[in-house]
Amino acid sequence: MGRSWPRTLVTGATSGIGLALTRLLAESGTPVLALGRNAGALAPLQAKHPHLVFVRCDLSDLASLSAFATDLVAAHPDLACLINNAGLQHNLLFDESGSTAESIRQEIDVNLTAPITLTRALLPHLRSRPAAWVVNVTSGLAFAPKRGAAVYSATKAGLHLFTQALRLQMQGQSVRVVEAIMPLVDTPMTQGRGRDKLPAEAAAAQILEGLRVGRQDIWVGKARGIPWLQRIAPGVLGRIMQAG
């Protein structure tokens, strides 16, 4: 991504893939709005890149997102790209004691309801721009669920279908709707599980390269094999997903 890329809002910007995206965008000269709750995680980057702005927001506070979007657009009218990256996963079986109504609500709110709500709140502004992007970061688990991540898998499947529907709705308009499908990536969320994980920096670089060349579906790393496995060997795909 070069300096011509527009101001970009990255959710979940203080950790994992979001932090890597924020770093790469900032280093390319892109003005970045880094959404998160831990300003300290971005302090070293902000010291080097004054065009990087930390934006504090709790995505689980759904009622506040409409006003948040209004204030954000007023302060940054050149915003033209939204990357819905933030995610939460409780790695446990659905019927274990740790799986509660509250934990279920948290995953659904952060992974699905928040990106849909934030997209809806920003869409009128994005449609007013000559060119704009909504980028939804999903997962291979949207296509084959993991035994220990039933709710997470369901939210990513929901975000996948929302992306497809929004893409249909935006046909012929200035907003491009992109899905970035992740394999198992080495982030704090996946700490202590899985093998051969893709580094977060590599995942972020592939997302940005996919955007640069105009892809609408960006299959990252090993996720590139998912469409083929879905057609040829869906059982194999299901077994692979259990390894994460």
Side-chain angles (χ1 to χ4, degrees):
M1 310 294 287
R3 290 182 62 87
S4 61
W5 194 253
R7 186 178 297 276
T8 298
L9 173 63
V10 180
T11 73
T14 59
S15 179
I17 298 169
L19 179 58
L21 282 168
T22 298
R23 179 182 297 111
L24 292 177
L25 285 166
E27 289 174 351
S28 75
T30 300
V32 187
L33 301 174
L35 187 152
R37 292 185 293 178
N38 179 15
L42 291 175
L45 268 180
Q46 285 185 293
K48 295 179 181 178
H49 306 290
H51 50 275
L52 168 60
V53 178
F54 173 73
V55 182
R56 187 179 301 278
C57 180
D58 180 359
L59 289 174
S60 66
D61 184 5
L62 300 174
S64 71
L65 292 183
S66 179
F68 167 79
T70 298
D71 293 343
L72 194 70
V73 168
H76 305 282
D78 57 342
L79 173 64
C81 180
L82 165 63
I83 302 181
N84 285 309
N85 162 77
L88 170 67
Q89 181 180 146
H90 297 299
N91 191 42
L92 74 172
L93 297 180
F94 187 67
D95 59 350
E96 289 180 351
S97 60
S99 178
T100 64
E102 178 60 17
S103 71
I104 293 167
R105 183 196 64 78
Q106 287 177 344
E107 279 190 280
I108 294 174
D109 283 354
V110 172
N111 299 346
L112 182 59
T113 312
I116 292 175
T117 303
L118 186 57
T119 299
R120 176 64 188 87
L122 289 173
L123 197 58
H125 170 74
L126 295 175
R127 291 173 69 179
S128 74
R129 304 296 298 169
W133 289 258
V134 172
V135 184
N136 291 328
V137 177
T138 67
S139 164
L141 296 179
F143 303 87
K146 178 185 169 186
R147 179 172 175 265
V151 178
Y152 181 86
S153 300
T155 61
K156 290 302 183 180
L159 191 58
H160 163 67
L161 287 177
F162 169 72
T163 305
Q164 291 190 324
L166 184 62
R167 184 181 294 160
L168 291 173
Q169 186 173 332
M170 291 296 105
Q171 284 181 352
Q173 301 191 44
S174 63
V175 180
R176 294 196 54 170
V177 182
V178 178
E179 180 175 7
I181 305 97
M182 297 296 105
L184 187 62
V185 178
D186 191 7
T187 69
M189 189 178 75
T190 66
Q191 187 173 6
R193 56 186 178 85
R195 296 177 298 174
D196 301 321
K197 293 182 281 191
L198 184 69
E201 290 281 347
Q206 289 183 39
I207 293 172
L208 297 181
E209 175 62 15
L211 290 174
R212 187 186 69 80
V213 301
R215 294 195 184 102
Q216 66 175 7
D217 293 310
I218 304 172
W219 299 89
V220 172
K222 293 179 181 179
R224 294 171 186 151
I226 289 176
W228 181 84
L229 287 170
Q230 277 188 303
R231 294 192 302 270
I232 306 300
V236 173
L237 174 60
R239 288 194 294 274
I240 289 173
M241 290 305 173
Q242 303 316 307

